[in-house]
Amino acid sequence: MPDLDAAISLFHQHLKEDGQLLLADFTKTEANHHGFELPELENKLIEHGFSSLHSQILYSAEDLFQGNYSELFLTVAQKSLAD
């Protein structure tokens, strides 16, 4: 995602009050530089007005992505009512 801030801002703008955003992708690893670092993603979501964040690794395996060990995660965030 070339501009994570712009994407999160757009998601927030288009969600209804109390709406939920679900993001699924791979975590970054030493061998896999695609995807997200979960703490960084969660901080960005909070900065853009999301709350009630929950991230979970759904599946991990060797050879899952581009022949390397990878973890697939799901993050659920709620658009804060105060916005």
Side-chain angles (χ1 to χ4, degrees), residues 23-82:
L23 295 171
D25 203 339
F26 294 101
T27 60
K28 285 187 180 180
T29 63
E30 288 183 24
N32 176 20
H33 302 288
H34 300 284
F36 295 95
E37 294 179 8
L38 288 178
E40 178 185 350
L41 175 61
E42 290 173 345
N43 286 335
K44 292 278 186 186
L45 289 166
I46 291 167
E47 288 173 12
H48 286 277
F50 286 95
S51 61
S52 301
L53 275 75
H54 178 75
S55 295
Q56 181 175 349
I57 303 298
L58 299 176
Y59 185 73
S60 61
E62 296 294 330
D63 299 325
L64 180 61
F65 184 73
Q66 296 183 340
N68 297 307
Y69 171 82
S70 296
E71 298 173 331
L72 179 65
F73 74 88
L74 174 67
T75 295
V76 179
Q78 186 170 2
K79 182 175 179 178
S80 298
L81 291 174

